[in-house]
Amino acid sequence: MQSLSKRIGTMYDIKKIREDFPILSREVYGKPLIYLDNAATTQKPLCVLDAMRDEYLNVNANVHRGVHYLSQQATDLHEAARERVRRFINAKKTEEVIFTRGTTEAINLVASTFCDSQMQAGDEVLVSDMEHHSNIVPWQLQAQRRGIVVKHLPITDDGRLVGCDDIATYLTERTKLISIAHVSNVLGTVNDVSGIVTLAHKHGIPVMIDAAQSAPHMKIDVQQLDCDFLAFSGHKMYGPTGVGVLYGKEEWLDRLPPYQGGGEMIDKVSWERTTFERLPFKFEAGTPDYVATHGLATAIDYLEKVGLDSVEAYEQELTRYALEQLQTIDGMRLFGPSTVVSGSAANKDAVVSFLVGDIHHLDMGTLLDRLGIAVRTGHHCAQPLMDRLGITGTVRASFALYNTKEEIDTLVAGIRRVSQMF
């Protein structure tokens, strides 16, 4: 195995990286801000903010519709962003890249259009016990409207999804789709999505991957994964809010009906009938957030300049160190894998959820906040997972490429200080 320093790379300068994020130098309650809520949203580097500001100042015009210079320039930036995303995930064509408002809208788009065109009452969608609500509720809405069945795969006591052999026992002739998280937003568990896709395709079942928690942390190659759909959000990977991506294989996107109606997604409208635009515009009704897509492309540029292999190695080392230090605290209870296997066999990444003794997660989070430490508390939009774990919520610390071991030391010291108060 390569040494950590070699895997991270000689160009990984954490001091310089942190300088790209001015918010990290501010204080909260008179304490230096330690931002450990990255699974909820990441901070934005100056280059992203500058790119978006520059577009609003100099290139602001609606895309695709105008023959004037600004409109064409804005369109070029918007479509260049689509090509940038295509390269980032290695899609075959830009037609397979749909811009959405985020992972949630992307999953809702697939749930609505897939169930409308490919499923009948009694047909099944398979999810897991560790899913975010955005990969549960859209399917439940379709169950109420269309009578489909939502089945959920179990997890082990240490927060791992059951293996492919067990998953195979849940497949029936009525299983029409598997929709699964790549990485759990609570447990940090990295699921074997490649194995799941291989298994599903043997049975002729397409797979949707929720990559909201993996896209910022590791390379994703949709052709290598051979997944049928994949979604991620810009704001979790150093880009702006309100923009995300749905990748879909062209043959699937061609088969699905439009999600919304309006401008941009039409070919011709008459009182008798309407025909729809070619991909990807068929799924992009209305004016897109063309400034945010430019911001997303800039964030991808930033990530790849730092180097995703280096980011992954660095964050896995942070996660390993955090788990090691947290386990020294009396009464500490960790959820999900408690050790880190890195590299191609990665099993956990960038998220640590915990409870300490009988201290309520909200109390712990509130008191850590007074020390300048931003963590997330509650059920993390994963209430079925909380039920499976027999708890109401956790404290969650989640890491990004700009966090440090010194910040983890401060977190550990803060937890000890709070624990002494109880």
Side-chain angles (χ1 to χ4, degrees):
M1 181 180 290
Q2 293 177 313
S3 68
L4 178 64
S5 60
K6 188 172 182 180
R7 288 176 57 224
I8 292 176
T10 57
M11 299 301 291
Y12 202 95
D13 185 340
I14 188 62
K15 183 175 183 297
K16 186 175 185 305
I17 287 171
R18 287 180 66 85
E19 289 173 354
D20 294 332
F21 298 84
I23 196 171
L24 299 179
S25 63
R26 72 162 296 184
E27 292 187 346
V28 175
Y29 300 118
K31 306 286 186 181
L33 170 65
I34 296 177
Y35 186 79
L36 300 175
D37 194 21
N38 297 286
T41 196
T42 53
Q43 300 303 331
K44 320 307 174 192
L46 276 171
C47 61
V48 170
L49 306 179
D50 289 343
M52 296 176 68
R53 183 175 186 271
D54 181 72
E55 182 163 3
Y56 272 126
L57 286 174
N58 298 299
V59 196
N60 186 42
N62 211 331
V63 296
H64 298 141
R65 302 174 184 177
V67 297
H68 61 83
Y69 181 83
L70 287 184
S71 179
Q72 297 205 15
Q73 193 175 13
T75 299
D76 288 344
L77 286 173
H78 181 63
E79 292 306 320
R82 196 187 307 275
E83 167 59 20
R84 191 67 189 86
V85 171
R86 185 203 66 77
R87 296 200 312 272
F88 180 64
I89 60 174
N90 193 31
K92 286 182 180 180
K93 301 178 178 181
T94 54
E95 287 84 353
E96 296 179 323
V97 175
I98 312 298
F99 285 124
T100 67
R101 290 182 299 150
T103 304
T104 297
E105 184 175 61
I107 296 174
N108 273 274
L109 187 160
V110 173
S112 177
T113 61
F114 191 91
C115 292
D116 183 47
S117 62
Q118 307 296 318
M119 299 186 70
Q120 298 177 350
D123 286 343
E124 301 165 351
V125 170
L126 205 53
V127 296
S128 82
D129 279 345
M130 67 173 71
E131 301 304 320
H132 190 280
H133 292 165
S134 61
N135 198 29
I136 297 174
V137 179
W139 305 111
Q140 290 180 328
L141 291 174
Q142 294 301 319
Q144 294 170 7
R145 295 168 184 167
R146 306 180 190 280
I148 70 164
V149 177
V150 183
K151 295 169 64 176
H152 50 103
L153 298 166
I155 61 172
T156 62
D157 290 340
D158 64 347
R160 304 171 196 266
L161 187 63
V162 294
C164 286
D165 287 345
D166 290 316
I167 293 174
T169 65
Y170 283 80
L171 304 180
T172 74
E173 61 181 13
R174 301 302 298 269
T175 307
K176 301 301 181 182
L177 182 76
I178 297 176
S179 189
I180 205 83
H182 193 175
V183 175
S184 166
N185 73 306
V186 177
L187 307 170
T189 306
V190 181
N191 288 321
D192 178 18
V193 290
S194 180
I196 292 171
V197 170
T198 299
L199 169 67
H201 285 181
K202 286 181 180 177
H203 295 267
I205 300 168
V207 177
M208 166 96 188
I209 296 176
D210 173 357
Q213 297 295 336
S214 57
H217 305 291
M218 61 188 70
K219 286 184 177 178
I220 292 176
D221 185 328
V222 294
Q223 291 192 66
Q224 185 178 59
L225 283 174
D226 198 29
C227 58
D228 303 278
F229 305 98
L230 181 139
F232 60 92
S233 299
H235 73 98
K236 295 181 188 292
M237 50 186 294
Y238 315 102
T241 56
V243 66
V245 171
L246 170 66
Y247 158 80
K249 285 182 177 177
E250 184 178 27
E251 56 265 34
W252 272 114
L253 295 178
D254 277 335
R255 292 165 65 180
L256 300 183
Y259 177 52
Q260 295 177 316
E264 288 284 304
M265 52 75 67
I266 57 92
D267 173 36
K268 184 177 180 181
V269 177
S270 70
W271 291 120
E272 290 71 36
R273 68 189 295 264
T274 294
T275 56
F276 303 112
E277 258 284 18
R278 66 190 188 283
L279 294 175
F281 309 113
K282 181 174 78 170
F283 295 103
E284 294 181 354
T287 298
D289 194 340
Y290 50 84
V291 177
T293 60
H294 181 43
L296 174 59
T298 307
I300 291 172
D301 286 341
Y302 182 85
L303 260 175
E304 295 201 333
K305 181 180 178 182
V306 177
L308 267 167
D309 286 339
S310 296
V311 169
E312 182 177 9
Y314 181 76
E315 291 175 341
Q316 286 178 350
E317 175 60 16
L318 286 181
T319 307
R320 183 202 64 76
Y321 183 75
L323 290 170
E324 179 183 90
Q325 298 304 309
L326 288 169
Q327 289 178 78
T328 67
I329 298 173
D330 290 340
M332 174 59 62
R333 184 181 177 191
L334 294 165
F335 299 91
S338 57
T339 58
V340 175
V341 178
S342 59
S344 60
N347 67 317
K348 185 179 180 75
D349 192 48
V351 175
V352 176
S353 288
F354 62 90
L355 292 171
V356 182
D358 296 327
I359 304 172
H360 195 277
H361 50 85
L362 180 60
D363 293 332
M364 175 65 76
T366 300
L367 292 170
L368 287 175
D369 176 55
R370 300 298 297 190
L371 300 175
I373 304 168
V375 293
R376 180 70 48 163
T377 64
H379 54 66
H380 316 297
C381 295
Q383 287 178 298
L385 175 58
M386 297 298 114
D387 292 341
R388 167 63 179 84
L389 298 173
I391 56 178
T392 60
T394 72
V395 183
R396 183 184 72 188
S398 50
F399 312 118
L401 56 81
Y402 43 63
N403 290 124
T404 66
K405 287 185 177 180
E406 290 75 18
E407 290 181 317
I408 292 171
D409 291 338
T410 303
L411 169 67
V412 171
I415 296 170
R416 292 188 191 280
R417 181 174 173 180
V418 173
S419 297
Q420 290 170 0
M421 298 172 64
F422 287 85

